Amino acid sequence: MQLNSYCMLCQIKKQEEKIRQFDDENKKVAYMKEILRRYVDAGPDDCAPSISAENSRFFTEFWGIPAKDFTEIKKDFNSLMLELEDELRAHINAAPDPLEAALVYARVGNYIDFSAMPDVSKEQLLSLMEEGKQDVLDKKEYACFCADMENASSLVYVTDNCGEIVLDKIAIEILKKRFPDVQITVLVRGFPVTNDATLEDARMCGLTESVKVVGNGSNVPGTWFPGISQEARNLLEQADVILSKGQGNYETMHGTGLNIYYLFLCKCGWFVKQFHAKPLQGMFLNERRDTLTD
C-alpha cells in the first residue's frame, strides 16, 4: 500500500510526541527536519511501516536512546493467552464451524498491538474475546477461502503480534485437520519490532512444534517485499493461498496481487475511514477482490 497523507501526518505527530520530553529545542528542530525530509524523499516502494522502522533506528542514533524493549510485555501477553488456550480451544471446537470460529478469535487477538493502539489492556482483550463468540466472517470471502484451500497445495500464514500468535496456533491446528493435504508454513518477523511475533514467540507458544515457522528477515512491522529475505519472498510468491494477519501486513502487502486473505481489526483512523468501519471492527477480505485503492 502506497504511503498516504493520513499516515504521513500520523507518523510525524508521533515523532514530535516522542521528543516532547527533551529540553534542547534546537536539537528537536534539527531532528524533526530530518524526519520531514524523509517523507519528502519517499519513493514509490516506501510505505508507512517501512518508514516507521527507519524512524525508530534514526531516533536511537540521533538521541542515543535505545528502542523500547517489549520483551517482558510480549512474554506477559503470550502467557495470558496460553493460560486461556485450553478454554478457547474447547469453545472453538464446540462451534458449528470450528474453522470460522478459530479465524474469528485469531482476528480478535489482533487487538494486541502496541504500535497502532494508544493503550492495550487485558480487560479490553478479554471483553473482545467474549464479544467474539457472536462474531462471524464475511460469508462470501469465507466461502472463497474454503474453496481456495480445497484446491491448494500450500498456505503461508503470516502472523502479526505476540499473544495473538496463540490464537493463530489454534487456527492452524484446525486448518491442518480440515485441509490435511495443504502444506502450511508460518511467517513471523525476522527481528524484534515493538510487540510483533518473532521465532522466539513462536517457540514460547508451542507453534514451532506443529508447523514450520520462518522468520522473514526484516524488522519492518509488516511484510515489506523490498526488505524481506529471498526465502520469505519465494514462500509468498509460490503459495497458493496466503492468510495475512494485521494492519501492518495489509499496508505492506496490499497491491502485490497475490492470493492473500487479510484478517485484521480496524485500529486506526485511516482503516476506519477507508473501510467505513467502526473502531476495532473485524475485516476479512481478499487482495484480488479488494476494491480499495491507495
Side-chain angles (χ1 to χ4, degrees):
M1 189 182 86
Q2 291 182 345
L3 189 65
N4 61 74
S5 58
Y6 190 103
C7 294
M8 289 172 66
L9 181 58
C10 178
Q11 290 192 332
I12 290 167
K13 284 182 176 179
K14 286 182 178 180
Q15 289 301 310
E16 189 279 327
E17 290 170 359
K18 286 180 70 173
I19 67 171
R20 199 173 291 176
Q21 60 181 306
F22 304 133
D23 296 325
D24 190 336
E25 191 60 36
N26 290 332
K27 190 172 182 180
K28 287 160 69 175
V29 168
Y31 177 79
M32 289 305 300
K33 283 183 176 179
E34 291 301 316
I35 291 294
L36 292 170
R37 187 172 292 113
R38 179 63 187 88
Y39 290 96
V40 170
D41 295 336
D45 289 335
D46 288 317
C47 60
S50 67
I51 294 183
S52 173
E54 291 184 34
N55 287 344
S56 295
R57 289 194 297 271
F58 181 61
F59 178 86
T60 296
E61 294 168 0
F62 191 94
W63 296 101
I65 298 175
K68 182 176 179 179
D69 186 354
F70 285 85
T71 302
E72 293 307 314
I73 294 175
K74 291 171 73 176
K75 288 180 179 178
D76 195 21
F77 274 91
N78 284 338
S79 296
L80 171 64
M81 297 312 300
L82 286 170
E83 290 172 7
L84 297 172
E85 181 180 359
D86 290 343
E87 177 185 342
L88 291 169
R89 183 182 284 105
H91 178 79
I92 288 168
N93 286 330
D97 185 343
L99 176 58
E100 181 180 19
L103 293 177
V104 166
Y105 272 102
R107 182 172 65 184
V108 170
N110 190 234
Y111 164 77
I112 309 172
D113 187 341
F114 287 83
S115 295
M117 297 294 296
D119 180 55
V120 176
S121 72
K122 294 179 181 178
E123 292 75 20
Q124 176 72 359
L125 174 61
L126 295 174
S127 176
L128 290 171
M129 287 288 174
E130 186 63 28
E131 293 174 12
K133 293 179 180 179
Q134 310 301 323
D135 206 356
V136 295
L137 299 177
D138 179 273
K139 290 183 179 179
K140 177 183 175 182
E141 287 305 339
Y142 181 58
C144 290
F145 174 75
C146 291
D148 280 351
M149 288 296 292
E150 288 287 355
N151 297 307
S153 60
S154 61
L155 165 73
V156 174
Y157 192 115
V158 186
T159 65
D160 195 20
N161 300 311
C162 69
E164 176 183 355
I165 199 172
V166 176
L167 297 162
D168 295 330
K169 181 178 73 170
I170 298 173
I172 289 165
E173 289 174 1
I174 295 174
L175 282 164
K176 289 175 66 177
K177 290 179 182 178
R178 183 152 171 180
F179 307 104
D181 295 328
V182 178
Q183 181 180 343
I184 300 176
T185 305
V186 174
L187 202 61
V188 296
R189 302 290 186 263
F191 300 95
V193 50
T194 58
N195 68 301
D196 289 13
T198 62
L199 275 170
E200 182 179 359
D201 298 290
R203 293 190 187 100
M204 178 180 178
C205 296
L207 184 57
T208 54
E209 297 173 11
S210 60
V211 70
K212 180 180 180 181
V213 182
V214 176
N216 71 3
S218 172
N219 70 340
V220 170
T223 307
W224 186 52
F225 275 56
I228 61 176
S229 68
Q230 191 60 52
E231 178 187 15
R233 186 161 188 156
N234 289 343
L235 281 169
L236 292 166
E237 291 179 342
Q238 295 169 13
D240 295 315
V241 184
I242 299 168
L243 184 57
S244 172
K245 298 289 300 300
Q247 290 186 168
N249 283 323
Y250 180 91
E251 290 177 277
T252 47
M253 299 177 77
H254 183 256
T256 60
L258 299 173
N259 189 24
I260 307 170
Y261 286 86
Y262 296 105
L263 191 66
F264 58 85
L265 297 181
C266 292
K267 294 171 289 189
C268 74
W270 186 90
F271 278 83
V272 168
K273 177 177 179 292
Q274 294 300 315
F275 292 107
H276 307 287
K278 298 177 182 178
L280 298 181
Q281 181 175 328
M283 305 299 296
F284 185 56
L285 49 93
N286 181 269
E287 166 80 9
R288 294 173 177 172
R289 289 180 291 277
D290 180 14
T291 58
L292 180 67
T293 56
D294 292 339

